[in-house]
Amino acid sequence: MKTSITLEDIRVYAYHGCLQEEARIGSWYRVDLTVWADLSTSIQSDRLSDTIDYVRLNQIVKEQMAIRSQLLEHVAGRILQVIKADFQEVTSVEVEVAKINPPIGGDVGQVSVKIIE
């Protein structure tokens, strides 16, 4: 049985980007995350130890967002890698990292990168 756990709209202030101002000033980011796994044991047991702890998933996102990257692809890839390393039962991961109001000289609400593995 394949089950998904989704965390939506994780908001983090971080310092990603290629511009020096982005490293100094920072901006708001939004992260959406879905993981898939066979969670049939936890469905029956009702024990946290038998599932994927979404508190830990949120912690992974915050830890990786705190490490500066030039590219959104890079930070999204790190999030994915840590989740796969921490939870061997995960069969698939979708991570979307969005920069809110990016400094690209136009009226753009956000720019995002999505990785699905």
Side-chain angles (χ1 to χ4, degrees), residues 32-36 80 83 92-96 114-117:
D32 294 330
L33 171 67
T34 301
V35 298
W36 287 267
L80 186 145
I83 288 169
S92 187
V93 179
E94 179 177 314
V95 180
E96 182 174 6
K114 184 184 292 187
I115 299 177
I116 302 170
E117 183 178 286

Side-chain angles (χ1 to χ4, degrees), residues 20-62:
Q20 288 298 83
E21 301 118 29
E22 294 172 305
R24 231 179 23 256
I25 299 168
S27 63
W28 283 101
Y29 292 81
R30 177 189 53 78
V31 179
D32 294 330
L33 171 67
T34 301
V35 298
W36 287 267
D38 179 354
L39 299 177
S40 54
T41 301
S42 64
I43 290 169
Q44 297 298 316
S45 73
D46 196 30
R47 288 191 311 257
L48 181 60
S49 60
D50 291 333
T51 193
I52 296 167
D53 184 357
Y54 54 78
V55 172
R56 175 65 184 135
L57 292 173
N58 187 54
Q59 181 183 25
I60 290 169
V61 168
K62 288 181 175 182

Side-chain angles (χ1 to χ4, degrees), residues 88-104:
Q88 285 74 34
E89 62 269 42
V90 168
T91 57
S92 187
V93 179
E94 179 177 314
V95 180
E96 182 174 6
V97 177
K99 181 182 286 193
I100 310 301
N101 297 317
I104 60 174

